[in-house]
Each structure stands twice: as C-alpha cells, then as structure tokens.
C-alpha cells in the first residue's frame, strides 16, 4: 500500500534541499511534480521541478477537475495532478509532495492517512538570511515571502510532525526516520502480514 508524505514549509526554510536529499537516499519515494503558472527559477528543470503551464491551461485543467488539490500562492497557481497519485500506486511507490498549507489541508481530506510534515527554519532572522542568500528573488518578493512565512507558521498545529531545519544532515535524518516509521504502521502492513499469517495457516 502506497503512503503519502506531504512536506510544507515557508519558502527559505531549506525545504527544497531536504526534499532533494531525502529523495536521493530513499528510492521508494516518488516526487510529486506539481503544475504551476510561475516561470522556472535558477536551475529548475521543466518537467522535473514543475510542469510549467500558462494560467489559461491551468484554469482549463482546474475546470476539468484534474487536480487533487490546488492553491494560489504568491499570485501563481500550483496544483497536484490526479495522475501523480495513480502512477505512484501503480508503481507501488510512496509519494512525497512539497505543497503549501492550503494544499496539504485539501489533500488530507481526500487522503486521510497522508502523513503531514512541517519544516521550519530555526528563526525569522535565519529565514531572511536564507532567502537573501538564494538571491533568486527581488526585494519585494523576499518581503512577500517573509510575510507569507509569518502567516504559514501559524498553521503548524494542523501537521503530524514538525522538523526544525537547524542543520541539513540531521533534518534529513529526522525526515527519513519519520518516513520509515510511518511505513510500518500496522494499517500499512496488511499486505505484508497476510502471507506471513497464511504461512502459519492463519487468515486476517
Ligand atoms: P516555489 O514557487 O517557491 O517553488 O513554491 C511556492 C510554494 O508553493 C511552496 O510553499 C510550495 O510548497 C508550494 N507548492 C508547490 N507545488 C504545489 C502544489 O502542487 N500545490 C500546492 N498547494 N502548493 C504547491
């Protein structure tokens, strides 16, 4: 049974680096490539980082109910296409989503056993430093992202886990530990338990 892991964080929390590392180490995870109407940034690769589409295309797909969840973040649409979850299930992979708070709440309603993880920078000062160091964004964008962070942080209580990203390596370890532990929850082990019980002549 495929598991769904949702990671949310205010931008600048170092989430992308954590997600990249976790995906590199844990090969059972499939990254959910979102649709977005924003333009590619930095080293992002179309089709791998995001599917970049026009507002018109996004709205058409929205009307056709193609998204499991979608939200408008910083003036751009972002959404998770239904096919992403179907593909992960067909390939018996677990799905890792990097989506915002609104998206996490929508998805949790559709997939109640999705595991939600909130990543936080250790302080506002460090978040601001990280946003500036990235220097991909204009000053106004940085200010908007900081204000957005202050708002998003208040939603931490709707998440199952909170990871404070002080140091990349230990934050990655913590995320991997959460993922591994969640995989052996009894409900997710039914498929594994059945043949074991059968070998003892028992049935579930
Ligand atoms: P960025 O533009 O920095 O890549 O992402 C901005 C925000 O949009 C981040 O909080 C990211 O998690 C969120 N985001 C990315 N993809 C999706 C998506 O498919 N759905 C939702 N709801 N948020 C997304």
């Amino acid at each position: 049974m495929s598991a769904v892991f949702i990671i949310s964080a205010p931008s600048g929390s170092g989430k992308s680096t954590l997600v990249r590392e976790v995906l590199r180490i844990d090969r059972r995870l499939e990254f959910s490539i979102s649709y977005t109407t924003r333009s590619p940034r930095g080293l992002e690769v179309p089709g791998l980082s995001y599917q970049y589409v026009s507002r018109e295309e996004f709205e058409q797909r929205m009307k056709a109910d193609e998204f499991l969840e979608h939200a408008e973040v910083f003036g751009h649409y972002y959404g998770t296409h239904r096919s992403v979850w179907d593909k992960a299930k067909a390939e018996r992979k677990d799905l890792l989503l990097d989506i915002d708070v609104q998206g996490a709440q929508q998805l949790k309603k559709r997939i109640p056993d999705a595991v939600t993880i909130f990543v936080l920078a250790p302080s506002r000062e460090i978040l601001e430093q990280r946003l500036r160091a990235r220097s991909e964004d204009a000053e106004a964008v940085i200010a908007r992202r900081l204000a957005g962070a202050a708002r998003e942080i208040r939603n931490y209580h709707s998440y199952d886990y909170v990871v404070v990203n002080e140091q990349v390596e230990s934050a990655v370890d913590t995320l991997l530990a959460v993922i591994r532990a969640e995989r052996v929850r009894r409900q997710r082990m039914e498929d594994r338990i059945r043949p074991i019980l059968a070998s003892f002549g028992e049935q579930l």
Side-chain angles (χ1 to χ4, degrees), residues 15 34 38 41 50 69 71 78-80 98-100 103 145:
K15 178 187 49 174
S34 295
R38 81 152 165 78
R41 237 188 358 225
Y50 283 104
E69 63 73 34
Y78 293 83
T80 305
D98 168 350
I99 62 177
D100 86 323
R145 285 178 188 270

Side-chain angles (χ1 to χ4, degrees), residues 32-81:
S32 167
I33 300 166
S34 295
Y35 276 68
T36 184
T37 56
R38 81 152 165 78
S39 315
R41 237 188 358 225
L43 298 174
E44 290 178 353
V45 183
L48 281 183
S49 314
Y50 283 104
Q51 302 284 1
Y52 301 93
V53 295
S54 66
R55 259 187 112 78
E56 293 69 45
E57 180 176 342
F58 197 100
E59 279 168 359
Q60 256 171 26
R61 290 182 182 275
M62 221 159 70
K63 278 200 200 101
D65 200 21
E66 288 184 29
F67 296 114
L68 274 180
E69 63 73 34
H70 60 84
E72 194 158 356
V73 187
F74 308 124
H76 297 290
Y77 285 131
Y78 293 83
T80 305
H81 201 271

Side-chain angles (χ1 to χ4, degrees), residues 101-117:
V101 170
Q102 312 163 66
Q105 286 167 353
Q106 288 176 44
L107 206 65
K108 187 89 187 181
K109 284 199 189 115
R110 293 203 182 223
I111 309 175
D113 70 351
V115 179
T116 54
I117 308 168

Side-chain angles (χ1 to χ4, degrees), residues 57-156:
E57 180 176 342
F58 197 100
E59 279 168 359
Q60 256 171 26
R61 290 182 182 275
M62 221 159 70
K63 278 200 200 101
D65 200 21
E66 288 184 29
F67 296 114
L68 274 180
E69 63 73 34
H70 60 84
E72 194 158 356
V73 187
F74 308 124
H76 297 290
Y77 285 131
Y78 293 83
T80 305
H81 201 271
R82 288 178 179 280
S83 61
V84 166
W85 177 218
D86 295 337
K87 183 166 167 275
K89 281 190 289 192
E91 291 174 0
R92 305 179 80 82
K93 292 260 198 139
D94 295 331
L95 194 63
L96 182 71
L97 299 102
D98 168 350
I99 62 177
D100 86 323
V101 170
Q102 312 163 66
Q105 286 167 353
Q106 288 176 44
L107 206 65
K108 187 89 187 181
K109 284 199 189 115
R110 293 203 182 223
I111 309 175
D113 70 351
V115 179
T116 54
I117 308 168
F118 199 63
V119 175
L120 275 175
S123 69
R124 186 193 187 279
E125 288 68 32
I126 293 174
L127 181 66
E128 187 168 353
Q129 275 168 26
R130 287 181 185 168
L131 284 172
R132 287 190 196 289
R134 197 161 75 174
S135 72
E136 283 167 352
D137 300 314
E139 200 57 30
V141 176
I142 291 177
R144 207 159 41 153
R145 285 178 188 270
L146 276 172
R151 265 197 318 276
E152 282 202 9
I153 281 168
R154 291 189 210 118
N155 292 295
Y156 79 91

Side-chain angles (χ1 to χ4, degrees), residues 8-48:
S8 302
S11 57
S13 319
K15 178 187 49 174
S16 312
T17 309
L18 300 183
V19 166
R20 197 181 326 115
E21 275 305 284
V22 164
L23 288 168
R24 188 180 64 77
I25 297 168
D26 191 325
R27 312 305 292 185
R28 269 178 68 186
L29 288 170
E30 175 94 2
F31 180 62
S32 167
I33 300 166
S34 295
Y35 276 68
T36 184
T37 56
R38 81 152 165 78
S39 315
R41 237 188 358 225
L43 298 174
E44 290 178 353
V45 183
L48 281 183

